[in-house]
């Protein structure tokens, strides 16, 4: 297939490489030009070169701006797959705009970070018709180990934001727990295995705790993107008339750390507050 990848950040760059390795014809576009043989300088040119268009962009603003740049080139032969984590309004807006142009649209964020993207082990959350998901499955399979249909357009966006609320809150809790243990003389070498053998231990804990203890905040998922997602979770809660004090407190801490210069580091830099 001819596939264009929009957004060559941590995830999009690996997915573009893996789609190329999967024998697809790839065109890439990034707002800040990247030195790649498959890169073009305009988003509309990338849309003219492929029928399948994949967004791995930062947020709703990035998706809306990029969509506007593509709009003149979009046809009923195109399919837009949005893999970015965005607000529900943006997902619905993209779906409406695509529908008006006869372009197919799939709400398809993912879980899995830098290493999963490198190893084609993302898990896609798909919101859209079963027929479209089946049509796209051979392409989605290249970069993922699992595709989970969650319902119609919007369902995947909601689940993605809700699960990131859990990840942010978990890393905040891990930070607090390790800080208390350390302050009372229990070293991370003792604390970490105890957590991992506890019911509260998790894949996330095993991924993040050792690096946090070593002060290694190499970016797999940036604090700035978690700031965005914590705000998206609060907005989703408000839209449902819910109060979510846990993520509100964590979001305030994340924002303050971003303002202190840690925005580009991994969100496990939450531990820095201690
Ligand atoms: N990394 C993870 O572990 C992970 C996991 C699950 C979901 N996600 C989600 O997947 C998406 C991509 O993640 P990532 O980690 O690859 O993000 P990233 O490294 O921050 O890359 C963001 C990309 O969006 C582009 N961008 C930002 N603002 C833009 C704008 N206004 N117009 C056009 N392009 C714009 C950036 O271009 P420039 O280079 O020009 O800035 C860059 O290519 C995000 O929505 C993120 O929340 C990430």
């Amino acid at each position: 297939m001819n596939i264009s990848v929009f957004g060559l950040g941590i995830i999009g760059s690996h997915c573009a490489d893996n789609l190329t390795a999967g024998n697809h014809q790839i065109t890439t576009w990034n707002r800040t030009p990247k030195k790649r043989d498959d890169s073009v300088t305009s988003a509309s040119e990338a849309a003219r070169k492929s029928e399948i268009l994949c967004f791995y962009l930062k947020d709703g603003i990035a998706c809306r701006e990029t969509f506007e740049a593509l709009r003149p080139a979009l046809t009923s032969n195109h399919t837009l797959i949005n893999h970015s984590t965005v607000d529900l309004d943006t997902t619905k807006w993209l779906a409406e705009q695509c529908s008006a142009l006869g372009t197919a649209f799939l709400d398809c964020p993912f879980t899995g970070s830098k290493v999963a993207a490198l190893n084609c082990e993302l898990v896609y959350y798909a919101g859209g018709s079963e027929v479209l998901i089946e049509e796209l499955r051979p392409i989605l399979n290249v970069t993922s180990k699992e595709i989970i249909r969650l319902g119609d357009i919007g369902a995947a966006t909601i689940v993605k934001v809700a699960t990131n609320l859990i990840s942010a809150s978990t890393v905040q809790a891990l930070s607090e727990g390790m800080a208390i243990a350390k302050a009372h003389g229990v070293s991370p070498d003792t604390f970490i295995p105890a957590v991992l053998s506890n019911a509260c231990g998790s894949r996330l804990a095993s991924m993040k705790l050792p690096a946090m203890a070593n002060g290694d905040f190499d970016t797999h998922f940036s604090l700035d993107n978690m700031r965005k997602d914590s705000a998206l979770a609060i907005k989703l809660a408000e839209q449902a008339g819910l109060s979510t004090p846990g993520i509100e407190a964590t979001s305030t801490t994340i924002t303050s750390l971003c303002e202190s210069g840690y925005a580009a580091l991994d969100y496990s830099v939450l531990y820095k507050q201690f």
Side-chain angles (χ1 to χ4, degrees):
M1 295 292 293
N2 292 335
I3 303 170
S4 288
V5 173
F6 299 81
L8 296 169
I10 292 174
I11 304 296
S13 54
H14 286 311
C15 288
D17 289 344
N18 289 331
L19 286 163
T20 303
N23 287 327
H24 292 288
Q25 192 62 45
I26 302 304
T27 300
T28 62
W29 173 83
N30 199 62
R31 176 182 61 172
T32 310
K34 298 268 180 183
K35 281 189 184 150
R36 289 177 63 111
D37 291 343
D38 56 16
S39 267
V40 294
T41 50
S42 94
S44 60
E45 186 185 350
R48 276 190 285 272
K49 282 183 171 278
S50 305
E51 300 84 44
I52 305 291
L53 313 175
C54 301
F55 281 6
Y56 289 95
L57 297 165
K58 186 178 184 76
D59 55 14
I61 293 170
C63 289
R64 287 174 187 247
E65 287 180 1
T66 304
F67 185 89
E68 289 300 353
L70 301 182
R71 188 191 286 279
L74 285 180
T75 68
S76 56
N77 292 329
H78 284 101
T79 296
L80 173 60
I81 311 175
N82 183 31
H83 297 299
S84 328
T85 307
V86 298
D87 55 290
L88 188 55
D89 293 344
T90 295
T91 295
K92 289 180 178 167
W93 183 84
L94 287 170
E96 284 162 15
Q97 303 306 309
C98 284
S99 169
L101 295 163
T103 298
F105 175 73
L106 187 65
D107 168 27
C108 195
F110 61 91
T111 183
S113 204
K114 181 162 78 172
V115 176
L118 178 70
N119 295 328
C120 305
E121 289 178 343
L122 297 177
V123 173
Y124 285 119
Y125 291 153
S129 84
E130 286 179 41
V131 174
L132 182 61
I133 293 167
E134 286 316 308
E135 267 175 38
L136 297 174
R137 188 175 287 279
I139 295 168
L140 297 173
N141 275 343
V142 175
T143 50
S144 71
K145 63 177 182 186
E146 193 177 358
I147 301 160
I148 307 175
R149 180 172 185 267
L150 293 164
D152 292 329
I153 287 167
T157 294
I158 292 165
V159 171
K160 176 62 204 168
V161 172
T163 54
N164 265 21
L165 174 158
I166 296 168
S167 297
S169 305
T170 300
V171 171
Q172 172 67 16
L174 292 171
S175 301
E176 291 179 15
M178 188 150 71
I180 290 172
K182 204 172 159 198
H184 284 278
V186 179
S187 77
D189 286 348
T190 304
F191 178 74
I192 293 172
V195 170
L196 298 185
S197 293
N198 189 296
C200 74
S202 61
R203 279 228 309 278
L204 186 61
S206 67
M207 276 163 60
K208 298 296 182 191
L209 272 179
M212 285 159 67
N214 289 330
D216 170 6
F217 304 113
D218 178 44
T219 314
H220 293 246
F221 180 61
S222 72
L223 186 70
D224 196 44
N225 281 341
M226 194 54 104
R227 179 198 52 71
K228 162 191 65 106
D229 291 353
S230 63
L232 295 182
I234 292 166
K235 186 176 169 194
L236 265 189
E238 283 170 358
Q239 287 171 335
L242 295 169
S243 162
T244 46
I247 191 61
E248 282 171 30
T250 300
S251 186
T252 301
T253 304
I254 291 174
T255 302
S256 144
L257 286 168
C258 284
E259 287 165 358
S260 302
Y262 299 119
L265 295 181
D266 192 79
Y267 76 101
S268 55
V269 78
L270 266 166
Y271 188 47
K272 273 274 184 199
Q273 69 194 278
F274 301 106

